Amino acid sequence: MDPMVLLVGRALIVVLAVVALWVIATRRLPAAWSSIGWGALAFPLSQVARSALLVPVGLLLTAWLGASSATLATATVVLAVLTSGIFEEGTRWIVMRFWAKRVRTWGEGVAFGLGHGGSEAILILGMSAINGVVLLATTEAMRGSVASSAPEQVPALDAQIASLRELTLGMTALGLWERVPAIILHVTCALLVMCAVRQRHPLLLLAAMVLHCAVNAVVVGTAQVAEPIVVELAFTVLGAVSLWVVLAGPLSRRRVDTLPAEPPASVGVR
């Protein structure tokens, strides 16, 4: 099948699926559209703030280690894993603490997480489709431009074009499925952050950051030594555990909605 059709089809499917998920969430949880909206806004906000750090740090690391250094590649991956959890959970906390003040119950917290995860899915797969279609449609012009301006980048460009041309229906389906455990993870972290805001408990925010970074580290680490199907299986297992935590475990509706809004005041010894 034409890789352009697969890229565009995947993007359209994820948009329709996410919108359907949001509609169902507002009716079945029930939850306000504003909670989904704030969650959807939190993801791009986190990426803007994250880029403000990653771009200059990346330039400094490149100048220091060299563009072709293996250490640079490792440092870039480690930095990406760490900043993903710190910035996304930190942004979630800021949005909930100062703007999304309705997000204080289990249902609204789940909706916030669905908004965040859905926004990420649409932007990631949407941008992937746009970039892929443009690259496939302008291969020769793009290659000529890179060859004249940065010839050392031609092999990387050729590898990217080859991977796009080899895109299969199975690989496309894996890319779609990956968004399912990712969205579940966002719901789990959103509930942790909501509890941190509601109870004024910073350790819960730290737990969300650590969980986010740890899951990303497992997925990225597995990708270095295993086939894509194994990576998705590992991610699915993590997503299943997160789903249990949200539906029946420590972050279930019964437990979250019975927690006090703030920690009880300590009683001094008299």
Side-chain angles (χ1 to χ4, degrees):
M1 187 175 290
D2 190 326
M4 289 190 187
V5 174
L6 292 174
L7 288 169
V8 174
R10 184 175 66 179
L12 290 175
I13 289 172
V14 78
V15 170
L16 294 174
V18 166
V19 172
L21 179 63
W22 288 347
V23 171
I24 293 170
T26 59
R27 296 178 179 178
R28 297 294 299 273
L29 289 173
W33 273 103
S34 62
S35 298
I36 290 177
W38 282 118
L41 180 62
F43 175 70
L45 285 178
S46 71
Q47 298 311 298
V48 170
R50 186 181 177 207
S51 297
L53 173 70
L54 288 180
V55 171
V57 171
L59 292 174
L60 288 172
L61 287 174
T62 301
W64 180 32
L65 299 173
S68 59
S69 169
T71 306
L72 174 64
T74 302
T76 301
V77 170
V78 171
L79 187 63
V81 168
L82 291 176
T83 55
S84 64
I86 293 171
F87 279 89
E88 288 191 47
E89 304 313 323
T91 302
R92 259 196 267 259
W93 186 91
I94 292 171
V95 171
M96 288 187 195
R97 173 68 178 81
F98 296 104
W99 302 319
K101 295 187 177 181
R102 181 173 186 146
V103 182
R104 297 294 184 271
T105 64
W106 184 88
E108 302 297 340
V110 170
F112 188 101
L114 292 175
H116 190 125
S119 171
E120 179 187 66
I122 290 172
L123 289 174
I124 288 178
L125 295 187
M127 292 303 298
S128 174
I130 292 171
N131 291 338
V133 168
V134 169
L135 189 55
L136 289 171
T138 62
T139 296
E140 294 304 321
M142 190 73 71
R143 197 176 187 282
S145 176
V146 172
S148 60
S149 60
E152 71 280 0
Q153 297 297 321
V154 171
L157 178 64
D158 287 342
Q160 185 178 0
I161 293 170
S163 67
L164 286 172
R165 287 175 173 168
E166 294 169 2
L167 187 66
T168 64
L169 186 59
M171 294 166 64
T172 304
L174 277 181
L176 280 171
W177 174 254
E178 180 181 81
R179 293 298 98 201
V180 175
I183 289 174
I184 295 172
L185 172 67
H186 282 300
V187 170
T188 306
C189 289
L191 287 171
L192 274 172
V193 174
M194 185 198 73
C195 290
V197 171
R198 200 174 75 172
Q199 296 181 266
R200 299 184 181 180
H201 203 321
L203 286 181
L204 292 175
L205 172 60
L206 179 61
M209 291 179 174
V210 171
L211 173 62
H212 196 136
C213 292
V215 170
N216 282 351
V218 169
V219 172
V220 171
T222 306
Q224 305 305 309
V225 297
E227 295 295 320
I229 185 64
V230 177
V231 176
E232 300 309 328
L233 284 173
F235 200 11
T236 299
V237 170
L238 295 173
V241 173
S242 294
L243 186 62
W244 174 84
V245 168
V246 169
L247 295 181
L251 294 176
S252 64
R253 185 193 292 267
R254 177 176 59 85
R255 296 193 182 186
V256 168
D257 284 350
T258 56
L259 290 173
E262 295 182 16
S266 59
V267 179
V269 178
R270 298 184 180 180

